[in-house]
Structure formats: structure tokens, C-alpha cells
Amino acid sequence: MSLRSVLVSGLLLLAGVWGARFFTRKRIRDLERQRAAQHASSHQLIASQENERKRIAAEIHDSLGQNLLLIRNVALFGHTHAADSNAAAERFEEVSQLTAAAIQEVRNISYALRPIELDRLGLTKAIAAVVGKVSETSAAKVEASLDPIDNLLFGDEEIAFYRIVQEGLNNAIKHSGAKWILVQVQKEAQAISLRIQDDGRGFSISSHADEAPAGLGLKGISERARILNGDLKIESMTGRGTMILLTIPLAKTATE
Amino acid sequence: MRSKVKILILDDHPVFRHGLKQVIQTDPSYVVVGEAGDGVAALEVAQACQPDIAMLDIDVPKLTGLEVARRLRKFAKPPAIIILSMYNAESMVNEALDLPVNGYVLKDNAIADILNCLRAVASGQCYVSPGVAKYLMKRRSQSAQLSAQKKGVDALTAMERRVLKLIAENKTSKVIASELFLSPRTVDTHRQNVAAKLELHGTRAVFQFAIEHRASL
């Protein structure tokens, strides 16, 4: 071998080693960044779960608990004054009213934890119900086009899908001042597409959920989109409106 | 002497079932001939005692009250059906009324409502607890609306209506596309579909229709 070829091989070898070290280091840095992001993400997830629990605990304690307290006191009072039948009738009426209120509170708290339609009537009707509810309580015109999508998603996926619809609607109502809101669920050959759109004030972002204004719950939507293995696109224009488009691929089933 | 109306109760809370039975039997026209704590048992008991009226809770083990109701309707002599439920949600009430059932009583008002309900159902009428009557009203008005307006604007999808509304504002496909986060090609597809559904020919006709129907878009 000539000296020249030895030198060239040596240089190539060095370049190779140097290159390998460079790319390994880069890979390690990337992995570390990913891990940090994941930690931040799970931290945030756990924090939001605990916040939710805190909120529910407060609701149960402050509204339901208070009602039950009142009921007990009225009953005790009725018991010690049982001889006076007029007063007793009034006390019974009070207990009846307070209990009715408590029962409704239980319904509301339960429903917020898990919508009854999801397990009993299917995902499609659960979505129809949340759209209906929003439609009734909001001045905006809420329009829905819902294809049937029962039994297409499994396990956690259905509630994740539901929460995305719920959060998307909440954003449209609370943050945008929209007059028109669209919820469109379409069943395509190998996918489900969800489109939530409004004509509200919008915001300026790129397609990255992380960069959107805080408090819009877009982080929750993007996390859930990930659970659904879905492709999430968010577009907004100040003064024009906002559009959330989620496309979820469906696993091919042998029998379909 | 008229024979007593035979009643079956399906509910998985024995205390509630017992209380209900007591209230019902204060009226001598009724007799509770069967009870069950789950849906499968309810069908067996119904087969055995052939009730005139079946009172069914929705959330029971093995088979839901609604599923029991569906199967009871296939009996040779199907009983009238009253749903007895905790749920005052519109979706659940509609699901029951769609079956159809003869009555829907909220469990929180069971004691007060049940005799009124039985009276109505036994005489061939329907009854729903006052707390959910508003949904009954809504169904009536919705079905009237549906039969009145199957055509026209209501035949369009929500997005098609929106495109039509922007057409009425004399906007081009390009502008509409930008406002609605769609591609111009998609907007044109919507235009065509709208024209086809409304049996309109030409952009002028569509525009005219859009203007005329602005208020309902």
C-alpha cells in the first residue's frame, strides 16, 4: 500500500469515527430532550388530573354536602317537634325539596365525570347530547352533522373522542364569542374525521397546539388526539374563526 | 268485580322495590304478581306470570331495562311498559319513548307519580313524570317541523348551509374557502351538492335561493 492510500484511509477512518461520535451525541441530546418533554407532559397530565379531583371534591363537599347537612338538620328539627303536625308537614316538604336538589347535584357531578350516554346509548348519542346541551345554553347557533360512529373506537378511545368534542365546544363558546359553531363527525372508509369550527374571534397560531394561547385546553386536545393516534390540525385567523380538524385512522377489521 | 291489573317490577334495589310495591298495593285495583332484581330474571318472571304492566328500571344487572322492554314487546301478549329511572336526561327519555314505552317515571318522584302513571297506562294512555314532560313537548314539535320541512334548507348539511349563507353574501369560492378553512375545490363541491339537493340550475339560481332564504341560514 502506498503512503497516500494509508493517509486517505486514515483520514476516512477518523472522519467516520468523528461522524459517529457526533451523531451519537446528537442522538443522545435528542433522546434527553424527548424524555424531558415527556416528563413535563406527564407532570402536566398528573397535575391536571389532581386539579380535576380537587374541583370535584370541592363540588361534592360544598354543594352536595351542604344540602345533606341541611336535610339532616331539618329532619332532626322535625323529629323533636313531631307533635306539631302542621310544622311536621312543612319540615317534610323542606326535606323533599332539599333532597330533590341534592339528587340533581348528584346527577350533574356524575355526568361531568362520565356521560351516561357513553356506556348506555353509545358514542354517537353521547356526542349528540353534549352538542344539544351546548346548543341550548348558548346564544350561538350550534349546527351538527353526526355520522354514526358507535363500535368503531375501543377502550379509552371513545371517552377521549368525547372529551375532544366537549373541549372544542367549550373553547368555541367561552373564548371566541362565536355566533356559529359547527360540529361535524364523518365516517370515512378507513377513518373518522371530526371538525369543530366557529366564526369567532380566533387567535394567531401555527398548527402547533403548544403555541396556542393558554387556557384554551388545546394541550388536552392534542394529548387526546395522540391517544387516538389521530392527526390533529388547528387553524385560526384573528377575526375569522377557528377550525379543529381531527382525523383518526381506523384499524382494518377482517369481517368488515 | 273487575280483575286486578297485574304488575311486574324490575329493580335491583330491594328496599326501593318493596316500598314501591307497598304504595302500588294501597290501591286495590293493582296487584304485584312478580318481582325481579336483574333483566334476565325479569323476562323469566314475565313469562311465568304474564303481567299487564311491566315497571322496569334501566340500570339493572345482566340485561338493561330497555333491552327487557324490547324483548317484552315480542311476547304473545306484550305488557304495557313503564320505565322507572334515575335518569332525567333527554337522551335516555327519548331512547325509551322511541321503543316505544307507555310511561316514564323518575325514581325521585316515584311515590308521588306512580299511581297516576299506572292509572293512565292501565286505561291505555301514556304518562311521563312532570320533570321530563318538556322532552315530550320537544319531540312533538320536532316531528311536526320535520314533516313540514323535509326539503329545502333542512336537506343540506351544516357545512353546505354555511357555504350557502356566504354565497348569499356574494362571496367568491376563494373567499368562502378562506373563511371556512376549506380548499376552494371543496367549496365548489359543496356548491354543486347544494344545487343538486335543491334542484337549482346555475350559479344565479343558487345565489337567488340563498338570498331568499338568508334568514334561515
Side-chain angles (χ1 to χ4, degrees):
Chain A
M1 270 196 324
S2 72
L3 182 62
R4 191 151 167 230
S5 54
V6 169
L7 275 173
V8 170
S9 320
L11 277 171
L12 282 174
L13 190 62
L14 273 172
V17 169
W18 174 81
R21 284 180 69 199
F22 173 78
F23 285 109
T24 309
R25 278 219 194 94
K26 183 177 187 304
R27 181 107 183 91
I28 290 174
R29 270 202 305 276
D30 283 344
L31 282 172
E32 279 172 354
R33 205 175 301 135
Q34 236 180 57
R35 206 165 61 166
Q38 272 172 0
H39 277 171
S41 213
S42 359
H43 185 112
Q44 210 164 22
L45 190 62
I46 290 175
S48 77
Q49 277 179 348
E50 292 304 327
N51 273 338
E52 178 73 354
R53 290 201 166 123
K54 190 169 157 189
R55 190 189 63 78
I56 295 167
E59 240 185 284
I60 291 177
H61 184 273
D62 296 342
S63 70
L64 188 56
Q66 288 302 315
N67 248 335
L68 290 172
L69 235 154
L70 273 172
I71 290 166
R72 169 144 175 87
N73 281 302
V74 171
L76 279 172
F77 186 88
H79 190 255
T80 56
H81 295 73
D84 180 352
S85 62
N86 280 333
E90 268 178 47
R91 299 286 84 74
F92 274 126
E93 175 59 26
E94 264 186 86
V95 166
S96 175
Q97 303 248 15
L98 290 167
T99 329
I103 292 171
Q104 192 54 44
E105 275 156 22
V106 166
R107 287 186 176 120
N108 294 343
I109 295 172
S110 281
Y111 195 89
L113 286 171
R114 184 141 181 125
I116 57 169
E117 293 91 1
L118 202 55
D119 303 311
R120 288 162 192 81
L121 303 179
L123 178 59
T124 316
K125 287 195 171 148
I127 295 176
V130 70
V131 170
K133 225 160 257 163
V134 165
S135 179
E136 259 163 47
T137 54
S138 150
K141 186 173 187 188
V142 181
E143 299 212 76
S145 264
L146 306 175
D147 285 351
I149 52 166
D150 293 344
N151 304 315
L152 295 172
L153 301 174
F154 303 102
D156 288 346
E157 294 173 343
E158 285 200 330
I159 187 75
F161 190 88
Y162 176 89
R163 292 293 178 212
I164 291 176
V165 174
Q166 191 179 36
E167 190 65 50
L169 278 172
N170 274 340
N171 288 339
I173 300 287
K174 283 196 201 132
H175 301 280
S176 75
K179 293 204 192 68
W180 168 79
I181 300 171
L182 168 77
V183 178
Q184 183 178 282
V185 174
Q186 284 183 323
K187 161 87 177 67
E188 288 148 28
Q190 304 287 352
I192 295 175
S193 82
L194 167 68
R195 190 182 184 103
I196 303 175
Q197 200 166 316
D198 67 65
D199 67 349
R201 64 178 69 96
F203 50 89
S204 55
I205 48 151
S206 64
S207 281
H208 270 275
D210 296 39
E211 291 163 33
L216 275 185
L218 291 179
K219 190 95 186 145
I221 291 180
S222 69
E223 289 291 337
R224 292 199 168 92
R226 217 163 295 164
I227 292 172
L228 289 161
N229 209 21
D231 180 67
L232 182 67
K233 193 161 77 164
I234 302 175
E235 282 178 34
S236 189
M237 254 191 294
T238 11
R240 280 282 168 81
T242 306
M243 191 254 329
I244 297 173
L245 181 63
L246 174 67
T247 312
I248 302 164
L250 293 173
K252 297 192 184 118
T253 50
T255 49
E256 281 193 75
Chain B
M1 169 154 146
R2 221 173 19 184
S3 61
K4 296 189 181 214
V5 173
K6 298 189 292 180
I7 300 185
L8 160 72
I9 305 177
L10 166 61
D11 193 295
D12 63 339
H13 288 107
V15 174
F16 185 80
R17 228 165 50 218
H18 183 76
L20 201 58
K21 185 172 166 182
Q22 279 195 314
V23 172
I24 291 172
Q25 293 189 158
T26 60
D27 187 326
S29 357
Y30 309 114
V31 60
V32 175
V33 298
E35 293 178 53
D38 70 73
V40 170
L43 287 171
E44 289 166 4
V45 171
Q47 195 68 265
C49 67
Q50 298 290 318
D52 302 305
I53 300 178
M55 287 176 41
L56 314 170
D57 184 11
I58 293 180
D59 269 355
V60 292
K62 297 199 188 154
L63 213 57
T64 71
L66 292 173
E67 191 50 43
V68 170
R70 282 188 195 103
R71 296 189 196 190
L72 284 174
R73 294 191 69 233
K74 302 205 179 116
F75 273 30
K77 239 189 69 194
I81 294 172
I82 297 172
I83 295 292
L84 198 55
S85 178
M86 262 284 280
Y87 299 121
N88 64 355
E90 183 170 11
S91 55
M92 295 304 280
V93 175
N94 277 329
E95 185 81 2
L97 293 175
D98 283 345
L99 253 155
V101 299
N102 306 77
Y104 194 104
V105 172
L106 287 178
K107 274 174 123 171
D108 24 335
N109 255 11
I111 305 302
D113 288 349
I114 196 60
L115 287 175
N116 288 334
C117 182
L118 284 172
R119 214 160 288 136
V121 172
S123 63
Q125 292 165 12
C126 285
Y127 180 97
V128 300
S129 283
V132 294
K134 58 189 170 198
Y135 303 135
L136 198 59
M137 299 300 141
K138 227 172 135 189
R139 284 169 70 92
R140 290 244 154 93
S141 84
Q142 266 172 2
S143 91
Q145 263 180 29
L146 263 160
S147 42
Q149 237 186 332
K150 219 37 205 278
K151 301 189 125 204
V153 163
D154 282 346
L156 305 176
T157 68
M159 194 56 106
E160 286 166 357
R161 270 198 294 279
R162 194 66 179 177
V163 169
L164 194 58
K165 180 180 159 85
L166 297 183
I167 288 175
E169 292 169 20
N170 211 5
K171 293 181 170 156
T172 63
S173 285
K174 198 160 164 228
V175 171
I176 295 176
S178 158
E179 266 193 50
L180 295 182
F181 305 98
L182 297 167
S183 73
R185 202 165 7 153
T186 309
V187 173
D188 284 330
T189 307
H190 284 313
R191 269 185 195 265
Q192 285 163 28
N193 290 339
V194 167
K197 283 186 187 178
L198 298 173
E199 292 171 3
L200 298 165
H201 303 286
T203 34
R204 250 204 95 77
V206 174
F207 177 67
Q208 199 63 37
F209 184 94
I211 297 276
E212 281 163 18
H213 293 80
R214 259 193 123 127
S216 57
L217 289 173

